[in-house]
């Protein structure tokens, strides 16, 4: 049976978390939200597309910055309410120009920046 | 300034997504939800603790199964509304006895199981 995004379990807003992971390095790059439409567009175009909650619109990652994510593979978790997208990340994934959005670590009870902006 | 979980941005239910990643292999194991209390407990005990939305209670991962997650490092994303927890995973992370909850991949437009339950 071909995959149908409607068989997934979306939250009350029709969204689910999608974790982007660098397909080559395994680094976790970011987490954003996908609607059924965002999932369809991602699979059809091969360009990872999220739902922007702040702008309330589909958001082709990197559309303005050029920091696109080419889809390598989409995976679904056991509860069918979370996605893992393996990607080829062009440029930094974070809007702060860092490779990953997870650049703050808790070490010794304090927040430490572990990654500098690129370029 | 010591880290205070209350400075993070929780959703309307007082929760945020927490992604568990195997600290050694880089494999993304699961995604679950943390409250401020769950974050505090995780940091204090070194045992990754989530908020179970179905049971509406704190949930020390592996408490009954023995498949605990030792915290290696907690990271915060740029928007302060998502966590990445690097863990030493004891046994399988998924309740289906698979290493990761993300054992279903989309390949050729179909769902394919890419990981078997462990012995």
């Amino acid at each position: 049976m071909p995959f149908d995004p409607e068989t997934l379990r979306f939250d009350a807003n029709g969204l689910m978390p999608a974790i982007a992971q660098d397909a080559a390095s395994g680094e976790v790059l970011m987490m954003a939200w996908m609607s059924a439409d965002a999932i369809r567009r991602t699979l059809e175009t091969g360009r990872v597309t999220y739902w922007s909650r702040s702008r309330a619109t589909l958001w082709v990652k990197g559309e303005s910055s050029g920091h696109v994510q080419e889809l390598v593979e989409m995976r679904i978790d056991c509860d069918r309410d979370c996605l893992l997208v393996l990607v080829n990340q062009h440029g930094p994934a974070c809007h702060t120009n860092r490779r990953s959005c997870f650049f703050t670590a808790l070490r010794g009870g304090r927040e430490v920046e572990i990654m500098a902006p690129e370029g």
Side-chain angles (χ1 to χ4, degrees), chain A:
Chain A
M1 200 171 63
F3 170 68
D4 177 2
E6 304 295 345
T7 63
L8 300 176
R9 290 172 57 202
F10 295 92
D11 70 11
N13 299 312
L15 301 175
M16 76 174 58
I19 302 157
Q21 183 180 30
D22 188 300
S25 70
E27 187 172 17
V28 174
L29 300 170
M30 58 182 283
M31 193 286 289
W33 297 82
M34 286 194 184
S35 59
D37 263 353
I39 294 170
R40 259 180 234 111
R41 295 283 196 97
T42 298
L43 293 169
E44 283 168 15
T45 64
R47 283 282 166 93
V48 179
T49 302
Y50 301 99
W51 177 260
S52 166
R53 295 182 303 170
S54 56
R55 291 182 287 124
T57 182
L58 286 172
W59 158 42
V60 182
K61 167 71 184 162
E63 198 171 29
S64 52
S65 65
H67 301 155
V68 298
Q69 296 179 334
E70 284 173 46
L71 180 67
V72 174
E73 185 164 276
M74 186 181 286
R75 296 186 186 164
I76 305 165
D77 83 342
C78 51
D79 292 332
R80 301 180 73 77
D81 63 2
C82 184
L83 300 171
L84 177 65
V85 285
L86 305 183
V87 305
N88 288 329
Q89 172 69 49
H90 293 246
C94 185
H95 73 289
T96 66
N97 244 28
R98 290 172 177 86
R99 181 71 187 163
S100 163
C101 293
F102 296 95
F103 58 80
T104 303
L106 293 176
R107 293 181 180 171
R110 285 164 194 276
E111 297 187 25
V112 179
E113 195 180 305
I114 57 171
M115 210 175 295
E118 297 187 358

